[in-house]
Amino acid sequence: MLFRRLLPLLLLLIVAGPAAAETIRVGIHVNPPLSLIDSQGVARGFVIDLLDLIAAAEGWELEYVPCDWDECNHRLALGDIAMLTPISSNEAKQRRLDYNRESLYVNWGQIVMAGKDVIKSPLDLANKTVVALSSDPHFADLKELAARFDINVRFLEVSDYESVLAWVDQGPVDAGLVPRSFDLAGFRQYPLIKSSVIFNPAEIRVALSPFNGQIPNAKRIQRLDYHLTRLKGDRESPFYQLQERWFGDTATLEIPEWLIWVLLFLMLLMLLLAVGVMLLRSQVRVQTGAIREMNQRFTAFMQHLPGIAYMKSASGQYLFVNPAWERTNHLSEAAVLGRSAADIWPERDLATRLQEERKVLEAGEVVESTEIHPWGDRPSQWQMVRFPITGLSGETEMVGGIGLDVTAQQETARELSHLHHQLALLLESAGDGICGLNGTGRCTFANPAALELLGYSRDELTGSKFHDLVQHTRADETAFPEEESPVYGAYRQGQRAHLLAGVFWHAEGAPFAVEYSAYPIANGELPGAVVIFRPARAG
């Protein structure tokens, strides 16, 4: 309570002067204590207070939009929200989003368990079951770490962190994965402890929507980084008071980047030493098992491969063919091994195929081609990939080939192309105006009749809010709220509508009477709609 009373005074000290308020929609997902929604539906958390601090200094008016992780990213891509946080720099970089450079917080993945510390390294996770949040950015890294060092871990996915704690506490699983920032003290009903196993350090940033534009994004990034750098540079600033409030330990609030890399190097070195010892103790057993398993996998793969596969020697003799090859060519493996294609089919024109195999041998390159197979009941098309197989000396000693029957796909592609062409002609020739809207009411396409009736160019209409351009005002020039429009009911609520006497507004500012229908298009949680309209009949 004392902190909440002092916070407005601290904000007044930081704000140099009044600024014009700018409303910015910020998407947040539940990731306590970085961000959460309390029982009154109010956004709270460390990054929320920190953004409020910066917004007060900049004169921004922040509107927080709660959403789950996938919905937040969808809204950001559509421009329905201008910013998204918390998000790691790696995640923002992979999604090719604009994001600020100064971190709000350094997070990492951490293993939690019940009872004493029996998990002291990733190797202790062998033959154990670990439960994690499916959208946790550290989850993929943990699975990659287990696969890289051949640690047999059973993974279980749930939808929220409380479920992670419940599964670990009640015993069906051995351990759980949570971020470093997760506060176990808020869930005292689950007496769990955090182990010493940590990994995947991630810097928390703020991502910005590409719909904002490059220059506005660059300005906001500059202001965010300016305030973060200034606040983090002063140990007495509200930044560290917020950390103490939400995390309760100023000694662990910010870890230098060089120390993180040193810790990661030491952890990797320990893992390599442990794996090396294990390999030295069981080298013969592991190598024998690996060879046996590889042969079993190769046999199973070739038995169930839906396409044909073969291997040839450098001189062109068949060394291996799979069952699909035998069925396709109506020949057994015993009848072709040790023989060349010319010996088996002397009457066929094989020049192109032999030329591609020579190219593989001479250049050591992968060669892809589409071939017509005229030897069955009807001609078929095959997508072939021929590749070099090197021996112990590094020289190309064999040619491998894999082929898939793509006749059905080719025919389907032609049919789809034909249908797409017919649909385009239908839209172009339709006398009624036709507009497509996405789940946020923005126009995604418009036919020539719609552009002519509304007076907008295709570039002006596409990507803009249909309501803001066409339905913003009633005929009596009073404001028309979007939520009252049948078009809104179609693309947001899936309700079909037809009006004989509606009002649309021309690009030149004049209203005109229209007859229109709005049909929803099902597409997940945000469906979209198609609007078809024409001038209303006189009288």
Side-chain angles (χ1 to χ4, degrees):
M1 292 299 295
L2 179 59
F3 180 85
R4 286 189 173 275
R5 293 175 179 176
L6 291 176
L7 184 59
L9 298 177
L10 294 171
L11 296 177
L12 290 175
L13 292 175
I14 293 175
V15 178
E22 177 186 5
T23 300
I24 302 174
R25 287 168 58 84
V26 182
I28 60 168
H29 56 97
V30 176
N31 189 357
L34 296 177
S35 58
L36 55 100
I37 305 299
D38 64 16
S39 58
Q40 284 76 38
V42 178
R44 300 175 62 244
F46 172 73
V47 296
I48 305 300
D49 288 350
L50 188 55
L51 286 179
D52 286 343
L53 200 66
I54 296 173
E58 287 296 319
W60 296 341
E61 186 71 27
L62 300 184
E63 178 186 352
Y64 293 107
V65 181
C67 45
D68 60 40
W69 176 246
D70 291 334
E71 183 185 3
C72 280
N73 282 281
H74 184 61
R75 286 174 175 266
L76 191 73
L78 292 177
D80 191 44
I81 55 176
M83 298 194 298
L84 169 61
T85 193
I87 182 172
S88 69
S89 56
N90 290 337
E91 185 76 14
K93 187 181 300 181
Q94 291 175 0
R95 295 176 180 272
R96 297 183 178 179
L97 299 172
D98 292 336
Y99 60 95
N100 69 306
R101 298 298 179 262
E102 190 67 29
S103 65
L104 283 72
Y105 186 76
V106 177
N107 213 356
W108 54 60
Q110 193 156 20
I111 296 296
V112 296
M113 58 196 173
K116 61 182 180 180
D117 190 2
V118 295
I119 301 177
K120 299 181 179 180
S121 78
L123 294 178
D124 294 331
L125 295 174
N127 299 319
K128 289 183 170 58
T129 302
V130 177
V131 61
L133 195 67
S134 56
S135 60
D136 191 327
H138 307 292
F139 187 28
D141 188 82
L142 178 59
K143 290 193 288 188
E144 181 182 351
L145 181 67
R148 186 185 309 156
F149 293 101
D150 200 23
I151 304 172
N152 182 25
V153 183
R154 296 180 294 274
F155 292 105
L156 176 67
E157 299 182 18
V158 295
S159 59
D160 58 83
Y161 285 116
E162 186 171 1
S163 297
V164 172
L165 304 183
W167 277 81
V168 177
D169 180 58
Q170 296 170 10
V173 300
D174 303 295
L177 172 65
V178 298
R180 166 214 179 188
S181 60
F182 190 87
D183 186 12
L184 288 177
F187 299 87
R188 298 188 184 276
Q189 67 272 34
Y190 306 112
L192 306 180
I193 62 174
K194 290 184 178 180
S195 77
S196 56
V197 178
I198 61 175
F199 54 93
N200 190 33
E203 295 184 344
I204 301 302
R205 307 291 178 85
V206 178
L208 294 90
S209 171
F211 269 81
N212 301 336
Q214 292 184 348
I215 294 179
N217 278 351
K219 290 181 178 179
R220 287 177 183 168
I221 288 173
Q222 190 274 331
R223 300 311 301 165
L224 286 169
D225 288 340
Y226 166 77
H227 287 288
L228 287 171
T229 302
R230 183 171 58 83
L231 289 169
K232 292 167 71 173
D234 181 7
R235 297 295 299 184
E236 302 300 322
S237 72
F239 177 86
Y240 296 97
Q241 297 173 20
L242 289 174
Q243 283 195 331
E244 183 175 10
R245 174 194 176 194
W246 288 103
F247 305 108
D249 185 4
T250 55
T252 60
L253 292 178
E254 192 71 25
I255 296 180
E257 185 176 355
W258 64 269
L259 181 57
I260 293 176
W261 287 108
V262 170
L263 291 173
L264 287 174
F265 175 76
L266 292 176
M267 288 177 59
L268 180 60
L269 183 60
M270 291 175 62
L271 284 172
L272 291 176
L273 289 175
V275 172
V277 171
M278 293 173 62
L279 290 175
L280 289 174
R281 289 179 179 178
S282 58
Q283 184 176 10
V284 175
R285 175 177 58 83
V286 170
Q287 289 182 351
T288 303
I291 293 173
R292 184 183 300 111
E293 184 179 5
M294 185 180 299
N295 288 335
Q296 293 174 348
R297 289 179 177 178
F298 177 79
T299 302
F301 176 78
M302 287 301 175
Q303 289 287 342
H304 298 92
L305 186 70
I308 63 173
Y310 68 87
M311 288 189 293
K312 286 185 178 182
S313 66
S315 56
Q317 283 79 29
Y318 281 99
L319 302 177
F320 167 82
V321 294
N322 73 332
W325 190 98
E326 295 178 286
R327 291 191 299 269
T328 302
N329 291 279
H330 306 290
L331 290 170
S332 67
E333 185 179 39
V336 298
L337 294 186
R339 303 176 64 190
S340 67
D343 295 334
I344 300 171
W345 302 292
E347 75 284 0
R348 295 176 182 171
D349 182 8
L350 305 172
T352 302
R353 294 167 176 77
L354 296 177
Q355 182 179 1
E356 291 179 352
E357 291 176 355
R358 282 196 299 270
K359 182 177 180 181
V360 170
L361 289 169
E362 295 172 0
E365 299 177 351
V366 176
V367 177
E368 298 185 24
S369 62
T370 300
E371 300 177 357
I372 303 297
H373 193 318
W375 306 323
D377 297 334
R378 63 186 183 90
S380 57
Q381 297 187 56
W382 290 76
Q383 184 69 35
M384 296 296 303
V385 179
R386 295 180 172 89
F387 51 89
I389 302 175
T390 58
L392 296 176
S393 63
E395 298 290 332
T396 301
E397 297 181 356
M398 292 181 287
V399 174
I402 295 177
L404 291 175
D405 186 350
V406 295
T407 306
Q409 291 90 323
Q410 294 287 347
E411 292 176 352
T412 301
R414 286 194 295 270
E415 292 176 2
L416 288 175
S417 177
H418 179 66
L419 289 174
H420 183 270
H421 180 66
Q422 287 184 321
L423 179 59
L425 290 176
L426 178 63
L427 290 175
E428 292 293 321
S429 60
D432 292 344
I434 304 175
C435 290
L437 310 182
N438 65 12
T440 60
R442 297 184 182 275
C443 185
T444 57
F445 70 85
N447 70 340
L451 300 176
E452 182 179 354
L453 289 171
L454 297 175
Y456 288 101
S457 67
R458 193 178 302 277
D459 290 340
E460 291 173 331
L461 193 57
T462 303
S464 300
K465 290 275 288 186
F466 185 82
H467 182 85
D468 294 346
L469 294 181
V470 177
Q471 269 195 307
H472 49 80
T473 307
R474 295 187 175 92
D476 60 2
E477 298 188 357
T478 60
F480 187 27
E482 184 179 10
E483 293 77 8
E484 298 179 11
S485 170
V487 176
Y488 178 86
Y491 74 76
R492 289 295 289 183
Q493 300 167 354
Q495 298 174 352
R496 181 181 297 186
H498 178 76
L499 272 75
L500 296 175
V503 175
F504 283 2
W505 288 80
H506 194 271
E508 295 180 355
F512 63 99
V514 293
E515 175 187 348
Y516 71 90
S517 299
Y519 301 96
I521 302 176
N523 184 22
E525 295 182 2
L526 302 177
V530 171
V531 180
I532 303 174
F533 59 94
R534 66 180 66 170
R537 297 180 180 88

